């Protein structure tokens, strides 16, 4: 059964315009808008360096993914490539772990959205806002993939327009001196308040796990491959614009924010964008920025609903998840799989009820480790595929990763470093306690599956047999 066969039933309703905006939206989310507040508090201006280095690594990962996508664009991309180049167990683990990543990320995003609502309605319980957003996005995702694409297009357009506007306003304040912050705003804040590394290089390194969470979602374009109208053209274009997006929306935005307000005035759990633009004194600036960051959180949760539904259905089509979640509704969306995923995202609502202060940190650390696994699988699969096509056993990609294989090995080493740093962080370490339990569940589940349904864990494609037999 090939990857192409597995995509039957989906509507190819995502056009170039939507794919480009989904790619942009995947690079702008809660990790930047909310997580950056904690990271600035921990590291100061050197956070910009963390984002730049991590962004370069993410680009290496995405170019590696680009090779795989142009070789064979399939909806369950990461799991499918792991099955083909590393074997059935790797595919099983990768599919379920990527599904977990987005379930947990969805929890983080509704948590962030509930935090933003406190700006306008501090008396509303955090869990109630989280539940409301979860239900609304769940309903929207059931309608059609085209509606999902349109929602993401407009969410992303709001984020892009707002960040560019914020950067231009910030540059205006710095150069023309208008607004209440005009007298104190200065690029010297980047080095004058304790230096570029006010809390030391070690503190900067410790922010890398927060920074990597901010980049989770850039690989979502790989999941859209099975529903893209022209994946061979739209996906490489989306990947190639990633450095520009990182340069503008992360590096550029942070440079402006850290120049407007001294880094020591930002607080954990408060969006630095809201804090900075409230200081400027423009009427309703804080509220406008808060609306934008709320949009960003809802956009990411919307993406989570989309990707978890597709990945869970892909697993079920292979007999590796309950068959009930294979069903499509009349609009050809995986309604049963989306429903199952949304119910588990509801655990995030419970966390917001029991531990609202720590909910975001706990959730993001688990999502980051799951994301690291997914990214590592992309890199390892690309290295295996590269060996095969250089030997003439598989066709060469139409979109090659520059600097490979060295860039892929560098990215793998960087992901290993981030994992070590997570282990050194007392709060983030909870994710490393969760994952041994997750690993045991996967091993046990695979053992039961292999005994009860051997076909579900057999080699599924001619491409897999060819590649595994000779790589």
């Amino acid at each position: 059964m090939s990857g192409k066969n597995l995509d039957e039933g989906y509507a190819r309703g995502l056009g170039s315009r939507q794919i480009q905006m989904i790619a942009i939206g995947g690079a702008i989310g809660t990790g930047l808008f909310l997580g950056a507040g904690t990271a600035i508090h921990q590291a100061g201006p050197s956070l910009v360096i963390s984002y730049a280095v991590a962004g370069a690594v993410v680009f290496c990962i995405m170019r590696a993914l680009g090779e795989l996508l142009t070789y064979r664009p399939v909806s369950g991309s990461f799991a499918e490539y792991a099955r083909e180049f590393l074997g059935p167990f790797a595919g099983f683990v990768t599919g379920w772990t990527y599904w977990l990543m987005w379930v947990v990320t969805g929890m983080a995003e509704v948590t962030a959205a509930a935090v933003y609502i406190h700006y306008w309605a501090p008396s509303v319980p955090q869990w109630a806002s989280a539940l409301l957003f979860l239900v609304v996005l769940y309903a929207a995702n059931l309608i059609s993939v085209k509606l999902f694409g349109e929602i993401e297009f407009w969410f992303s357009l709001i984020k892009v327009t707002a960040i560019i506007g914020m950067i231009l306003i910030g540059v205006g304040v710095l150069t023309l001196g208008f607004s209440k912050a005009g007298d104190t705003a200065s690029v010297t804040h980047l080095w004058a308040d304790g230096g570029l590394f006010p809390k030391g290089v070690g503190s900067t390194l410790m922010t890398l796990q927060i920074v990597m969470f901010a980049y989770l979602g850039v690989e979502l374009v790989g999941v859209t491959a099975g529903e893209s109208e022209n994946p061979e053209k739209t996906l490489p274009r989306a990947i190639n614009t990633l450095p520009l997006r990182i340069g503008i929306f992360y590096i550029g935005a942070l440079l402006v924010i850290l120049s407007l307000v001294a880094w020591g005035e930002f607080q954990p759990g408060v969006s630095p964008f809201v804090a900075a633009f409230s200081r400027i004194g423009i009427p309703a600036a804080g509220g406008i920025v808060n609306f934008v960051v709320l949009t960003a959180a809802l956009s990411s949760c919307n993406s989570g609903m989309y990707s978890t539904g597709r990945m869970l259905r892909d697993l079920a089509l292979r007999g590796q998840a309950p068959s009930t979640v294979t069903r499509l509704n009349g609009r050809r969306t995986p309604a049963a799989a989306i429903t199952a995923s949304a119910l588990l995202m509801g655990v995030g609502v419970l966390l917001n009820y029991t531990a609202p202060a720590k909910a975001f940190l706990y959730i993001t650390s688990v999502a980051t480790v799951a994301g690291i696994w997914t990214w590592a699988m992309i890199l390892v699969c690309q290295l295996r595929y590269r060996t095969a096509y250089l030997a003439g056993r598989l066709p060469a990609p139409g979109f090659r990763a520059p600097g490979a294989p060295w860039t892929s090995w560098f990215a793998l080493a960087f992901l290993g470093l981030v994992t070590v740093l997570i282990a050194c962080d007392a709060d983030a370490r909870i994710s490393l306690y969760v994952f041994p339990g997750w690993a045991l569940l996967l091993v046990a589940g695979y053992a039961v599956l292999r005994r009860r349904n051997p076909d579900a864990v057999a080699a599924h494609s001619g491409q897999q047999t060819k590649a595994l037999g000779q790589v």
Side-chain angles (χ1 to χ4, degrees):
M1 187 183 297
S2 71
K4 188 175 290 187
N5 291 337
L6 284 174
D7 288 336
E8 288 181 357
Y10 286 134
R12 288 192 177 270
L14 296 177
S16 177
R17 171 179 64 93
Q18 295 164 324
I19 292 292
Q20 290 298 318
M21 275 300 178
I22 288 170
I24 291 172
I28 309 170
T30 302
L32 172 64
F33 285 126
L34 182 59
T38 299
I40 290 171
H41 183 75
Q42 288 182 3
S46 61
L47 178 66
V48 175
I49 297 175
S50 294
Y51 271 100
V53 174
V57 171
V58 168
F59 181 58
C60 292
I61 295 169
M62 290 302 293
R63 285 301 295 252
L65 177 60
E67 281 199 3
L68 296 167
L69 288 172
T70 55
Y71 153 62
R72 195 157 65 93
V74 289
S75 185
S77 59
F78 319 117
E80 178 65 17
Y81 301 137
R83 290 183 194 105
E84 178 172 343
F85 296 106
L86 300 172
F89 180 66
F92 176 82
V93 171
T94 301
W96 277 108
T97 301
Y98 190 69
W99 171 82
L100 175 70
M101 185 197 91
W102 271 110
V103 166
V104 174
T105 299
M107 295 180 194
E109 301 301 350
V110 295
T111 297
V115 170
Y116 298 145
I117 287 296
H118 274 200
Y119 182 86
W120 296 297
S123 61
V124 175
Q126 195 166 301
W127 68 267
S129 300
L131 179 61
L132 174 64
F133 290 134
L134 189 65
V135 170
V136 170
L137 291 175
Y138 163 70
N141 263 266
L142 293 183
I143 297 176
S144 72
V145 68
K146 189 173 286 293
L147 178 61
F148 160 78
E150 280 302 305
I151 290 173
E152 278 308 292
F153 176 83
W154 290 105
F155 273 167
S156 295
L157 188 62
I158 290 170
K159 290 186 286 188
V160 169
T161 304
I163 289 187
I164 292 174
M166 286 188 282
I167 290 174
L168 292 176
I169 291 171
V171 170
V173 172
L174 291 167
T175 55
L176 303 176
F178 65 83
S179 88
K180 292 179 180 179
D183 294 335
T184 57
S186 171
V187 292
T188 60
H189 286 316
L190 295 171
W191 60 82
D193 304 310
L196 184 60
F197 295 90
K199 294 194 175 183
V201 175
S203 294
T204 303
L205 286 173
M206 292 303 293
T207 64
L208 284 176
Q209 53 120 346
I210 298 175
V211 170
M212 293 307 282
F213 173 76
Y215 287 125
L216 290 183
V218 294
E219 76 294 322
L220 183 63
V221 293
V223 181
T224 66
E227 292 169 276
S228 303
E229 292 175 353
N230 192 354
E232 291 80 7
K233 291 184 178 179
T234 57
L235 298 180
R237 191 179 306 140
I239 291 170
N240 276 337
T241 58
L242 182 63
L244 178 63
R245 299 197 305 270
I246 290 173
I248 294 175
F249 303 127
Y250 282 93
I251 311 302
L254 285 173
L255 285 173
V256 169
I257 289 294
L258 289 167
S259 297
L260 289 175
V261 180
W263 71 269
E265 297 185 33
F266 294 108
Q267 298 299 319
V270 177
S271 169
F273 292 85
V274 174
F277 281 86
S278 294
R279 284 282 300 275
I280 288 176
I282 297 174
I288 293 169
V289 176
N290 198 66
F291 170 74
V292 172
V293 297
L294 173 63
T295 300
L298 296 178
S299 168
S300 189
C301 186
N302 187 45
S303 296
M305 291 276 188
Y306 171 87
S307 55
T308 51
R310 273 68 184 174
M311 190 59 72
L312 185 57
R313 181 173 184 259
D314 177 72
L315 288 162
L317 285 169
R318 297 180 176 280
Q320 297 177 0
S323 60
T324 53
V325 298
T326 62
R327 292 197 299 269
L328 298 175
N329 63 14
R331 298 179 180 87
R332 296 165 71 187
T333 63
I338 292 172
T339 300
S341 300
L343 288 173
L344 281 172
M345 286 183 191
V347 174
V349 176
L350 181 62
L351 271 177
N352 277 280
Y353 178 75
T354 58
K358 293 283 188 178
F360 186 75
L361 182 60
Y362 289 161
I363 290 168
T364 55
S365 61
V366 173
T368 301
V369 175
I372 286 172
W373 173 271
T374 300
W375 287 340
M377 287 298 100
I378 290 171
L379 292 165
V380 172
C381 289
Q382 183 257 351
L383 289 168
R384 298 293 298 273
Y385 168 55
R386 179 182 171 81
T387 300
Y389 80 70
L390 288 177
R393 293 190 291 268
L394 289 177
F399 182 64
R400 298 197 179 190
W406 305 112
T407 50
S408 297
W409 286 114
F410 168 72
L412 280 170
F414 185 86
L415 295 178
L417 170 64
V418 174
T419 305
V420 171
L421 293 173
I422 289 174
C424 296
D425 187 309
D427 287 325
R429 200 180 299 147
I430 186 173
S431 61
L432 300 182
Y433 300 149
V434 169
F435 268 84
W438 176 247
L440 285 174
L441 277 175
L442 290 176
V443 170
Y446 188 80
V448 171
L449 190 65
R450 187 169 54 183
R451 187 173 65 250
R452 293 186 177 179
N453 186 9
D455 288 342
V457 295
H460 286 286
S461 68
Q463 292 101 322
Q464 181 180 29
T465 302
K466 186 175 181 180
L468 286 175
Q470 303 179 62
V471 174

